Amino acid sequence: MKTLTLLGTVTGIALFAGIRLYATILTVGLCLRYGLLQLPQEFASLSVLAHPYVLVAAGVCAVMEFLADKVPWVDSLWDAVHAFLRPAGAALIAFAAVGRLDPAAEIAVILLCGGVAFSSHSAKAGTRLLVNQSPEPFSNVLLSLFEDVLVVGGAYTAVAHPLAMLAVVTVFLVLFALLARRIYRRLRGDPAPT
C-alpha cells in the first residue's frame, strides 16, 4: 500500500507539473505551509516545497507563467521553453520524495515521473497549438483558466488522495498512448485502422 501511495503522490504531482510546474510547486508548498495538507512520514522530504525560498521562487515564476499563458502564441513559446523544464522539475520533485528507496526503485520512479510530466506537457502544448489557430482569443484564455484550476485542484489531490490520483494518472497515460498513436498516423498520412 505504501508503494501505491508513493506512486500516486509523485506521479500525480508530475502529471500537473507537466501542465504548470510552478503552480504545482506553489500549491503543494502553500498547502503544506498552512496545514491544509499533512504529509505521511515517508514524504517528509517534500516539506522542502514549503520553504520560503521555494515559495517565493515558485510564486514569481507562477505569476509570469499565468500571464504568459493567457496570450496566444506567447503561451506556445513558453511551452517550447518548458518542454525541458517541466519534466526535469517533476523528476527533481520525485527525487526529493523518494530519497530513501532502493537506488534502482528510486531511478525508476524518477524516470516515470519525468515521463508522466513530459506526456502531460505534450498534451497541453499540442492542445494549445490547436487552440491558437482559432481567430478569437477567448478560447485560449478560457482553456488557460481551466488549466489553472485543474492544476491547483490536482496538485492538492495528488497529496491528499494518492490512490485516486494513481487511477487518474493511469487513465491519462492510457488515453495519451492511444491518442498519440492516432495523431502520429494522421500526421504521416497513414489510413485509419479498420
Side-chain angles (χ1 to χ4, degrees), residues 84-107:
F84 302 103
L85 294 175
R86 289 175 181 152
L92 285 172
I93 294 168
F95 178 73
V98 299
R100 295 186 185 122
L101 289 179
D102 167 60
E106 186 177 315
I107 290 172

Side-chain angles (χ1 to χ4, degrees), residues 101-115:
L101 289 179
D102 167 60
E106 186 177 315
I107 290 172
V109 169
I110 291 167
L111 290 173
L112 176 64
C113 288

Side-chain angles (χ1 to χ4, degrees), residues 4-14 39 43 46 97 158-163 165-166:
L4 293 178
T5 301
L6 169 78
L7 285 175
T9 297
V10 295
T11 60
I13 289 173
L39 288 174
F43 295 123
L46 277 181
V159 178
H161 305 287
L163 296 178
M165 188 51 63
L166 184 59

Side-chain angles (χ1 to χ4, degrees), residues 20 70 140-152:
R20 298 259 199 286
K70 304 302 180 272
N140 196 22
V141 172
L142 289 175
L143 182 57
S144 180
L145 290 171
F146 172 75
E147 290 168 356
D148 294 330
V149 172
L150 179 70
V151 165
V152 170

Side-chain angles (χ1 to χ4, degrees), residues 27 37 49-50 57 85 116 129 132 141 145 154 162 164-166 176 191:
T27 299
L37 285 173
L49 299 180
L85 294 175
V116 168
L129 278 172
N132 282 337
V141 172
L145 290 171
M165 188 51 63
L166 184 59
F176 181 80

Side-chain angles (χ1 to χ4, degrees), residues 181-182 185-186 190-194:
R181 191 173 68 202
R182 284 186 174 173
R185 282 185 183 153
R186 288 242 172 124
D190 293 348
T194 56

